[in-house]
Amino acid sequence: MFSYILRRVLATVPVVLTVAVLVFCLLRLTPGDPALILAGDAATETQLAQIREHMGLDRSLATQFMLWGGQVLQGDLGTSLHSGTPVTAMIGSRVGPSLALALSTILLSTLIAVPLGVFSAWRRGTRADRAVMAFSVLGFSVPIFVTGYALILLFAMKLGWLPVQGYKSPSAGLVAFGMHLLLPTIALSTGFVALIARIARSSVLEVMGEDFIRTARAKGITERAVMMAHALRNAAVPIITVIGVSIALLISGVVVTESVFNLPGLGRLVVESVLARDYPLIQGLILLFSLVYIGVNLTIDVLYSVFDPRIRY
C-alpha cells in the first residue's frame, strides 16, 4: 500500500512542475505591463525601467522563473500590485469562506446523491426512478446563479427564514454560521447531487448483473444488505471518480456562487484580481487552484486502491 502511494506521489511531480511553468508563462506572455499598472499612464520610460528592474522583469524568462520558483518553495507568492499586501496573506484571509462552502457542498451532495442513486437503481423502471432521473436532468441543466437567485427570492425575501447574503465565521456562532452558509450550499449542491446520483445509479445497475450478486441473493441475504454491502462497494470506483471531479468543478462553481451570495472567499478574490489586473495575485490563485486539483486527483488514485485492491497490482 505504501509503495503504491509513493508511486502515485512521484508520478504527480512532473505534473506539478508543468503546471508551475504554465502558470508562470501564462501571465508573462499575456498583453499588459505590470510596471505600467503600478506607475500609471503618466509614468516616464525611466520610471518604468526602474520598476521593471526592481521587479526583475528586465531579466530573461528562465531567470525570472528560477527566482519565482525559489520564492514559491519558501511560501512567498509575491506582493499585490495594488494593495501592497503579500499574496499569501490575501489568500489566507479569504480561504475560510471558500473552504467552508466547498466542504459543506461536497458533504451535502454526497450524503444525498449516493443514497438517491442507489435507491433509483433498486427501484429501476418505477415512478420513483423516473422522478430521480428527471430531477437529475433538471438539477444539472439549471445554472447555479439561477438556482441561487430563486433560493434568495423564496427563503430570504419572501419567507424571511434565512439571510440574503453575507458570511459569518464559526467564531460568531454556529447558528449564524450555518444560516449564512445554507443557501449557497444548497444552490451549489443542486448540480452535483444530480451528477453524482446519475453516476451512482448507472454504476450500481452495472454491478447488479454480476454473478456475485446472484450468489449473494441465493444465500438468502436481504436485498438491502445486497445493495449496501455488495453492490455499492463494488460500484464505488466510478462514484469516487465523479465525486473527485465534482470537487474540481467546485472551483468554477464557487466563483459564481460567491458573487451571487456576496461571500468574501477566493471566488470573489479571483473576480477582483482579474478586474484590477493584479498579476501576482492572479498567478497565486491559479497556482493554488491547480495544486488543489492535482491533490484531489492524487487522493482519488489512493482511494481506488482502498476500494479495489486489484488496482495496486
Side-chain angles (χ1 to χ4, degrees):
M1 181 67 178
F2 177 76
S3 61
Y4 173 79
I5 296 175
L6 182 61
R7 290 198 304 270
R8 300 313 303 165
V9 171
L10 292 177
T12 60
V13 173
V15 179
V16 173
L17 292 176
T18 303
V19 167
V21 172
L22 291 176
V23 170
F24 173 81
C25 294
L26 177 65
L27 295 178
R28 290 301 190 281
L29 301 178
T30 51
D33 187 356
L36 186 60
I37 296 175
L38 272 178
D41 296 333
T44 63
E45 286 297 329
T46 304
Q47 292 173 330
L48 292 176
Q50 291 174 348
I51 294 175
R52 293 190 188 102
E53 181 180 0
H54 176 71
M55 299 179 65
L57 298 175
D58 58 338
R59 304 181 184 182
S60 65
L61 282 177
T63 304
Q64 291 184 49
F65 177 74
M66 295 300 294
L67 293 174
W68 176 77
Q71 292 175 344
V72 170
L73 291 177
Q74 298 175 21
D76 182 9
L77 297 177
T79 304
S80 171
L81 295 181
H82 291 276
S83 64
T85 307
V87 172
T88 51
M90 296 183 69
I91 293 177
S93 65
R94 297 289 194 98
V95 74
S98 296
L99 184 61
L101 179 59
L103 291 178
S104 62
T105 298
I106 202 64
L107 181 62
L108 180 64
S109 300
T110 304
L111 290 178
I112 294 177
V114 174
L116 202 61
V118 174
F119 174 76
S120 181
W122 181 37
R123 306 288 293 177
R124 180 184 181 182
T126 63
R127 291 182 179 179
D129 179 29
R130 289 192 290 270
V132 172
M133 290 301 97
F135 166 76
S136 299
V137 173
L138 180 64
F140 201 69
S141 302
V142 179
I144 295 175
F145 63 89
V146 174
T147 306
Y149 284 127
L151 291 174
I152 290 174
L153 179 64
L154 177 60
F155 292 102
M157 299 183 68
K158 295 291 185 181
L159 299 176
W161 292 350
L162 297 168
V164 177
Q165 293 178 330
Y167 173 78
K168 293 289 185 181
S169 65
S171 60
L174 293 179
V175 175
F177 171 72
M179 290 182 65
H180 281 82
L181 202 61
L182 185 58
L183 285 184
T185 300
I186 295 174
L188 193 54
S189 299
T190 306
F192 297 114
V193 168
L195 177 62
I196 297 172
R198 286 185 70 90
I199 298 300
R201 176 183 181 274
S202 301
S203 301
V204 171
L205 283 178
E206 184 177 350
V207 171
M208 291 298 290
E210 299 291 336
D211 292 337
F212 65 87
I213 295 295
R214 287 192 289 270
T215 302
R217 286 171 171 167
K219 290 181 178 179
I221 300 176
T222 63
E223 190 68 18
R224 178 175 297 180
V226 169
M227 294 293 294
M228 301 305 297
H230 297 276
L232 183 58
R233 179 177 176 83
N234 286 274
V237 170
I239 298 174
I240 292 173
T241 302
V242 75
I243 291 175
V245 172
S246 300
I247 295 175
L249 291 174
L250 278 174
I251 295 174
S252 59
V254 161
V255 173
V256 179
T257 307
E258 287 182 358
S259 298
V260 171
F261 290 93
N262 194 27
L263 299 179
L266 295 178
R268 288 288 303 280
L269 189 61
V270 168
V271 176
E272 294 169 3
S273 62
V274 170
L275 293 176
R277 297 173 65 186
D278 196 333
Y279 293 103
L281 185 54
I282 298 172
Q283 203 169 36
L285 288 168
I286 294 175
L287 182 62
L288 174 64
F289 291 152
S290 302
L291 293 178
V292 169
Y293 191 93
I294 294 172
V296 168
N297 281 278
L298 177 61
T299 305
I300 293 171
D301 282 345
V302 173
L303 288 176
Y304 284 165
S305 65
V306 174
F307 286 93
D308 191 350
R310 295 172 298 176
I311 295 177
R312 303 176 200 169
Y313 310 103

